[in-house]
Amino acid sequence: MKVALFSNVDDILSLLIFSVMASSSGSALNKELQCSICLEVFTDPVTTPCGHNFCRTCLSECWTNTQTCFCPFCKETFSKRPDFKINTTLREVVQHFKEKLKLEESEVFCDFCDERKQKAVKSCLTCQSSYCDDHLEPHLRVLHLKKHKLINAVENLEDYICQKHERPLEMFCRDDQVCVCLSCTEGEHRTHNTVPIEEESQDKKIHLAKRQTDVHQMIQDRIKRIEEIQDSVELRKRNIEEEKSSSVELFTDLIFSIERCQSELLKMMEKQQKEAEKQGEDLIKELKQEITELQQEITELEQLSHTDDHLHVIQMCSSLCSRPHTTNWTEIRIDTDVNVNSLYRAVTLYSETLKEKLSQTGLKCVQKYAVDVTLDPDTAHPYLILSDDGKQVCHGDIKQNVPKNPKRLDKSYCVLAKEGFSSGRFYYEVEVKRKTKWGLGVARESINRKGTIWLKPENGVWTVILRNENQYKACESPSVSLSLRVKPEKVGVFVDYEEGLVSFYDVGSSSHIYSFTGQTFTEKLYPYFSPGFNDEGKNSNPLIISPVS
């Protein structure tokens, strides 16, 4: 078997051209030599350990301010940052390719060369002809020819001539936004605002330069968003893996009847991860498509910024600068948290032992959303007594001398927290030890503050209450009696705003008390506290906001 050896880059380039032409896909060679980040032909190409090539600058910018280095094409991650080494063979292939492209570009030839046509260097708008260096000489010497309008050689000279007067388009009418000749300015455009075409071209270039800067920034913003989306998907994947490990431990000692529960939980986690990955892929695909379009616009803008073809600049400026705005990506996020509560609620629990373990696990998961809560004295009923640090409240026998305030609750013996929440998740704990009455939960900002508050979700209050020392109720419509095995001494309250969830936990036994589910929150929510009547000292102990351990 004979082995073909390629002695130089031309041989390699020829093979590449042959391979591309022979390909059933018909892809152009420049696609083979194109960086997938900037979508341009490679500049100083470097190769990643996975075998993909990128411009050195593009890959360096992609890995700036990121802890994990990955291939932008196949997403393979690398344990350490690879050293950048220029692929010299590929660089030479690219250079030869660029040179071949330059030679193949269309050229304008002199209209007056008899035998071998020479390349034209200038076109005369007055004569409507193109000239090489030799035949251009009279235009540089003869007095009346020196007055002719010369431009860089172009093929379509008729586009630069007024079709009505057959004179060069030397002026621009700002009223009608068209190029005109001097005869036009003396006729139908006589009263219009006209300027030399060179002046208008410079103004247009200023706008194009600004647009070019804006497009560059949009590209950088989208590259950054791609990295953030990839990081969010990866973070969610790690969170899923942690939850999967925790769930596996939870199910190992349980009997066969709860194996189905384990399977359903893992399937749901996998589904959430696949949905997150699919969302990330779709967003990245859309971002890359925008980058492709913006990069194409950059190429057009760069070409216009260097051309002396003033008419072309003017004609293209309006269409380029009026392109529609792109998507605002700063508003788009991928949720990296695992909604354990919604997962647990969706799974049927078959064993009392499993219920206890799930409650313990669920409490640990919500406790990480602990917030610092302080009572708001401006909302407290006049008969309530608050501690100086705003962490305790009890009912007093004497009405307090408090200032009038539109925020104050004047009929219901309760108080709200200073802190309100209009998104996300939050959790706090309250000590209810040795009390015979209390009420805890959250209330929306617009609750009735100058009248009796009826504790129902439709009135904007989500609470669990204790009455007569051992009667626990969830204030639904109608109320739900709760059967608790032990009397809670500390109650945890968890809210997931977007999920529409308010959950209550017995912190001491790590057990779940009750959850309001499927709620719709549209206002800011405030923690709600009602210590109950003093009842001649039987219920004198305060409600105490305690730190979450």
Side-chain angles (χ1 to χ4, degrees), residues 352-371:
E352 191 64 31
T353 303
L354 178 60
K355 288 183 180 179
E356 293 179 1
K357 290 192 175 185
L358 285 174
S359 296
Q360 295 170 6
T361 304
L363 180 60
K364 290 180 181 178
C365 289
V366 300
Q367 282 179 326
K368 66 183 179 181
Y369 299 105
V371 295

Side-chain angles (χ1 to χ4, degrees), residues 46-48 56-57 59-61 63 81-86:
V46 294
T47 305
T48 57
R56 180 173 182 173
T57 301
L59 190 59
S60 178
E61 290 179 356
W63 288 353
R81 187 187 182 101
D83 294 332
F84 288 157
K85 294 183 179 179
I86 295 177

Side-chain angles (χ1 to χ4, degrees), residues 35-280:
C35 172
S36 61
I37 298 177
C38 67
L39 305 179
E40 295 288 347
V41 176
F42 291 120
T43 301
D44 291 335
V46 294
T47 305
T48 57
C50 56
H52 295 113
N53 299 297
F54 305 93
C55 297
R56 180 173 182 173
T57 301
C58 293
L59 190 59
S60 178
E61 290 179 356
C62 183
W63 288 353
T64 301
N65 299 324
T66 181
Q67 296 180 346
T68 305
C69 293
F70 60 91
C71 173
F73 186 81
C74 69
K75 306 301 182 293
E76 180 178 340
T77 57
F78 312 120
S79 58
K80 64 178 182 178
R81 187 187 182 101
D83 294 332
F84 288 157
K85 294 183 179 179
I86 295 177
N87 187 329
T88 54
T89 301
L90 181 57
R91 182 174 62 181
E92 291 184 40
V93 170
V94 170
Q95 184 60 35
H96 279 253
F97 173 67
K98 289 180 178 179
E99 292 175 359
K100 285 181 178 290
L101 280 183
K102 190 173 181 180
L103 291 174
E104 293 172 1
E105 290 180 352
S106 61
E107 295 179 338
V108 180
F109 293 97
C110 177
D111 292 328
F112 295 90
C113 290
D114 293 329
E115 298 180 357
R116 184 183 178 186
K117 292 284 186 179
Q118 296 296 317
K119 184 178 178 181
V121 293
K122 292 290 182 181
S123 294
C124 177
L125 297 181
T126 307
C127 301
Q128 299 186 32
S129 300
S130 298
Y131 301 91
C132 64
D133 282 322
D134 293 338
H135 290 102
L136 180 65
E137 189 271 337
H139 277 76
L140 305 178
R141 174 175 49 81
V142 179
L143 185 60
H144 76 278
L145 292 179
K146 290 172 68 175
K147 297 178 181 180
H148 288 192
K149 184 72 173 181
L150 296 176
I151 62 172
N152 287 336
V154 294
E155 292 183 27
N156 51 334
L157 263 174
E158 64 276 5
D159 292 342
Y160 296 78
I161 305 299
C162 175
Q163 299 302 309
K164 182 177 181 180
H165 301 105
E166 296 186 352
R167 296 185 63 181
L169 296 172
E170 300 180 79
M171 305 295 289
F172 181 79
C173 176
R174 287 179 171 172
D175 292 344
D176 294 337
Q177 292 291 300
V178 294
C179 294
V180 296
C181 69
L182 289 175
S183 296
C184 293
T185 62
E186 297 170 356
E188 59 183 302
H189 296 272
R190 183 176 65 256
T191 60
H192 293 183
N193 178 16
T194 56
V195 296
I197 196 172
E198 292 84 0
E199 180 180 338
E200 184 65 20
S201 176
Q202 289 302 316
D203 289 346
K204 289 289 191 288
K205 283 187 176 182
I206 292 173
H207 290 293
L208 292 172
K210 183 179 183 303
R211 175 65 177 177
Q212 183 176 352
T213 301
D214 293 342
V215 173
H216 270 300
Q217 185 58 50
M218 285 190 282
I219 290 174
Q220 293 305 315
D221 291 343
R222 280 148 183 75
I223 291 175
K224 183 178 180 181
R225 288 297 299 127
I226 288 176
E227 294 176 359
E228 291 173 353
I229 289 172
Q230 289 170 332
D231 291 342
S232 297
V233 172
E234 184 62 30
L235 176 58
R236 185 180 182 91
K237 184 177 181 179
R238 290 198 299 269
N239 290 343
I240 287 289
E241 292 301 323
E242 291 175 3
E243 293 298 336
K244 285 168 63 177
S245 299
S246 175
S247 299
V248 170
E249 292 179 5
L250 183 65
F251 288 112
T252 48
D253 297 328
L254 300 177
I255 59 177
F256 175 77
S257 61
I258 57 174
E259 290 180 352
R260 178 183 173 186
C261 179
Q262 177 185 5
S263 175
E264 291 298 321
L265 181 59
L266 294 178
K267 286 179 181 178
M268 190 168 294
M269 289 180 175
E270 294 289 353
K271 181 181 178 181
Q272 283 191 352
Q273 175 59 24
K274 289 179 179 179
E275 291 174 350
E277 291 178 345
K278 178 63 167 59
Q279 182 186 7

Side-chain angles (χ1 to χ4, degrees), residues 372-424:
D372 185 19
V373 174
T374 307
L375 301 173
D376 184 359
D378 290 339
T379 66
H381 187 277
Y383 272 86
L384 297 186
I385 301 173
L386 275 60
S387 62
D388 292 338
D389 62 0
K391 297 297 183 181
Q392 301 184 30
V393 59
C394 63
H395 179 266
D397 294 324
I398 302 174
K399 185 177 181 180
Q400 307 296 309
N401 184 19
V402 294
K404 290 184 178 180
N405 194 304
K407 295 168 56 179
R408 192 173 306 284
L409 300 150
D410 64 357
K411 294 295 183 184
S412 298
Y413 294 90
C414 55
V415 60
L416 303 181
K418 291 181 179 179
E419 298 77 19
F421 304 87
S422 56
S423 64

